[in-house]
DNA sequence: TGCCAGGCCGAAA
DNA sequence: TTTCGGCATGGC
């Protein structure tokens, strides 16, 4: 894999990524597909457009932005081939990995991961996207990108300062107070997500679960998608019984395995009670 | 029109 | 320790 700056964009050769699978597998909520096959999204306070041609990934950004933001966000320094090959050693995982080929775990901003996965509880992905979009439009910083208007994900201080009426306008239901409490904990320095990222996974999990409205599932989603803990395994309620069936539900890449499983089973519309027969 | 969703919480058994 | 109802909302 190497990079080349050309024509106002960055080309990453042999990037081993499927943008479709990466963005639609349920790990993130802020990427929009364009008619030309590209995707436009906002992360880490920046907007960008990305697309693939063959094995190459293209990003509409400067080389400086690529190095500072996007190489890390897309986890492009990590070689996914041996990981995927290792996971695919049993038949079920082989099918899941084949289905989700090119899926990469994004290194999202920790607070955004926490906030969006609190919204995710008992919710549909399209509706999660709408709630997150309303939040960003309500209080996120406006970003100009190629003549388009985008909005950054608002920091915890801004969310903590929202009025009850503003929170209600998100139409997030009973999850809104959970998000506000989490935002307040961060804004007041009672919880430091950057610190958790550097520490032990179990310690971070316990700290996250101490928040009201954050259980094991949401905590592990934050660990996996926001704190780069690839061994975290966000077990779905219906997936609990399958936990013992797949050896990849443990180990250093359990989170990646889990995301392949989640994406595979959701896309295939596989019934929740039938996972044992897969 | 109902069903149900990347759940969590607190009470009851 | 496990089970269960309630919680808001709206896409399908």
């Amino acid at each position: 894999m190497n990079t080349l700056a050309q024509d106002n964009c960055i080309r990453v050769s042999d990037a081993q990524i499927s943008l479709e699978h990466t963005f639609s597998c349920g790990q993130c909520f802020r990427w929009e597909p364009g008619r030309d096959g590209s995707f436009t999204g906002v992360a880490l306070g920046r907007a960008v457009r990305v697309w693939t041609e063959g094995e190459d990934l293209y990003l509409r950004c400067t080389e400086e932005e690529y190095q500072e933001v996007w190489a890390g966000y897309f986890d492009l320094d990590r070689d996914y081939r041996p990981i995927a090959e290792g996971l695919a050693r049993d038949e079920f995982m082989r099918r899941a990995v084949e289905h989700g080929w090119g899926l990469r775990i994004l290194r999202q901003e920790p607070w955004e991961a926490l906030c969006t996965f609190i919204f995710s509880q008992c919710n549909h992905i399209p509706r999660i996207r709408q709630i997150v979009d309303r939040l960003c439009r309500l209080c996120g910083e406006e970003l100009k990108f190629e003549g388009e208007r985008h909005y950054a994900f608002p920091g915890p201080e801004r969310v903590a300062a929202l009025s009850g009426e503003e929170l209600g306008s998100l139409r997030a239901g009973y999850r809104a107070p959970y998000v506000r409490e989490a935002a307040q904990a961060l804004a007041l320095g009672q919880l430091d997500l950057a610190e958790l990222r550097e520490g032990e996974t179990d310690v971070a999990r316990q700290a996250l679960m101490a928040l009201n409205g954050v259980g094991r599932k949401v905590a592990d989603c934050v660990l996996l998608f926001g704190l780069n803990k690839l061994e975290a395994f966000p077990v779905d309620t219906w997936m609990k019984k399958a936990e013992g069936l797949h050896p990849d539900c443990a180990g250093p890449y359990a989170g990646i395995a889990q995301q392949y499983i989640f994406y595979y089973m959701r896309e295939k519309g596989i019934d929740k009670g039938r996972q044992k027969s897969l």
Side-chain angles (χ1 to χ4, degrees), chain A residues 1 3 10 12 17 19 23 30-31 39-50 57-77 104-109 112 143 145:
Chain A
M1 189 184 305
T3 63
I10 299 293
V12 183
I17 188 168
L19 297 173
F23 294 146
R30 300 210 64 204
W31 289 89
F39 291 82
T40 303
V42 179
L44 304 162
R46 310 284 185 95
V48 73
R49 181 166 294 124
V50 294
L57 169 68
Y58 290 80
L59 304 94
R60 179 78 69 201
C61 66
T62 66
E63 190 161 8
E64 189 177 23
E65 272 185 317
Y66 173 77
Q67 295 296 344
E68 286 183 5
V69 179
W70 300 115
Y73 179 78
F74 287 101
D75 202 20
L76 291 172
D77 288 335
R104 301 181 78 93
I105 303 297
L106 300 170
R107 288 160 66 176
Q108 301 181 60
E109 201 280 315
E112 178 175 339
L143 305 171
F145 177 74

Side-chain angles (χ1 to χ4, degrees), chain A residues 245-260:
Chain A
L245 298 179
H246 299 291
D248 300 306
C249 296
Y253 302 115
I256 298 177
Q258 173 279 153
Q259 197 59 15
Y260 278 121

Side-chain angles (χ1 to χ4, degrees), chain A residues 10 85 106 149 165 185 196 202 204-205 218 222 229 277:
Chain A
I10 299 293
E85 289 170 3
L106 300 170
R149 188 180 301 173
E165 187 177 349
L196 296 185
D202 284 339
R205 180 181 289 123
V218 170
V222 178
K229 306 289 190 188
S277 64

Side-chain angles (χ1 to χ4, degrees), chain A residues 158-213:
Chain A
R158 291 196 180 189
V159 176
L162 292 177
S163 68
E165 187 177 349
E166 288 171 323
L167 269 176
S169 72
L170 301 178
R171 286 178 281 169
Y174 60 86
R175 308 164 193 86
Y178 295 154
V179 164
R180 174 158 56 185
E181 287 178 39
Q184 288 170 341
L186 266 65
L188 294 173
Q190 296 167 345
L191 185 66
D192 186 339
L193 296 177
E195 188 178 307
L196 296 185
R197 180 164 48 190
E198 303 307 317
E200 296 284 332
T201 298
D202 284 339
V203 173
R205 180 181 289 123
Q206 292 307 315
L208 289 166
M209 290 179 66
L211 293 168
N212 198 22

